[in-house]
Amino acid sequence: VTPDGSLLAQSQRGFRLVLARRDGTLVREYPPLRSQPYGLAWSPDGKRLRFTALGPDERRPWIWEVAVDGDAPTALWPGDGGKWTPDGRHYVFANQDEVEGRYDLHAVREQRLLSFSPVRPVRLTFGPLSFTYVGPSPDGKRLFAWGTAARGELLRFDARRGRFETYLDGASVCYVDVSRDGRWLTWV
């Protein structure tokens, strides 16, 4: 629902996005996307809607945008979910690192004036935690996100017994690396 409560956006079967008035009358039905849109987020002024759907690369989710009075949705950046800050100056979302597989938070500063240079997301987090479900506090001064860490267990192979055994007393160990001389291990 738009911030003023006048419009409702709905993701429908057939990978379609539909806008309707509060009384249910249709305002606009946009062309179908490559996948089901989800994570719908209205801009604070109610003029734009962002959501997640399969991107142009057809491999991963992207953040898409459509203007209430616009035609077809536009793919903006790879990413998943997202929210505007209450003042509308920033949009924050999660994006999956294709190598590590974890999600990091990104932010985009919204452009107030017409500009022909593309807006580039800025990475806010990097590390062992994977962040999703990001959103700003009501006053816009803080971000909240769901952070998870993988739990792993380091095993070593006992050739004499022909099986794997726990190593480091079952401590949670991820992202293991071995020194070139084979004498040291590092991990998170």
Side-chain angles (χ1 to χ4, degrees):
V1 178
T2 53
D4 68 2
S6 63
L7 293 176
L8 169 72
Q10 183 180 18
S11 172
Q12 293 189 338
R13 289 185 186 157
F15 307 150
R16 291 191 180 275
L17 188 63
V18 174
L19 294 184
R21 291 180 192 84
R22 289 182 71 170
D23 64 6
T25 56
L26 185 67
V27 173
R28 186 174 318 275
E29 185 173 339
Y30 295 99
L33 296 154
R34 292 176 174 90
S35 67
Q36 197 66 39
Y38 64 93
L40 286 65
W42 285 101
S43 60
D45 64 7
K47 293 180 180 178
R48 294 176 292 158
L49 178 69
R50 287 195 180 149
F51 56 90
T52 303
L54 190 61
D57 61 5
E58 297 191 9
R59 292 186 348 226
R60 59 187 177 152
W62 276 56
I63 305 295
W64 291 74
E65 181 178 276
V66 67
V68 171
D69 58 357
D71 291 324
T74 303
L76 300 176
W77 323 277
D80 196 350
K83 302 277 186 218
W84 264 281
T85 54
D87 62 8
R89 293 178 59 200
H90 296 89
Y91 183 80
V92 292
F93 62 96
N95 187 20
Q96 188 175 29
D97 183 295
E98 290 190 89
V99 175
E100 297 289 331
R102 75 174 174 279
Y103 283 85
D104 288 308
L105 299 182
H106 291 72
V108 172
R109 184 181 188 107
E110 295 296 320
Q111 296 180 358
R112 298 230 182 242
L113 303 173
L114 290 176
S115 174
F116 297 104
S117 60
V119 178
R120 303 187 112 192
V122 174
R123 189 179 200 167
L124 302 177
T125 61
F126 180 85
L129 288 181
S130 184
F131 290 100
T132 53
Y133 308 112
V134 62
S137 61
D139 65 5
K141 294 182 180 182
R142 294 175 189 83
L143 289 178
F144 294 95
W146 184 270
T148 58
R151 175 164 167 59
E153 187 173 15
L154 186 61
L155 302 174
R156 68 181 170 134
F157 186 74
D158 185 332
R160 190 170 37 85
R161 293 183 175 172
R163 67 179 185 194
F164 285 97
E165 297 180 346
T166 61
Y167 194 66
L168 297 176
D169 297 322
S172 178
V173 175
C174 294
Y175 311 110
V176 178
D177 198 10
V178 180
S179 65
R180 288 186 181 170
D181 63 9
R183 296 179 60 207
W184 296 92
L185 291 176
T186 60
W187 65 86
V188 174

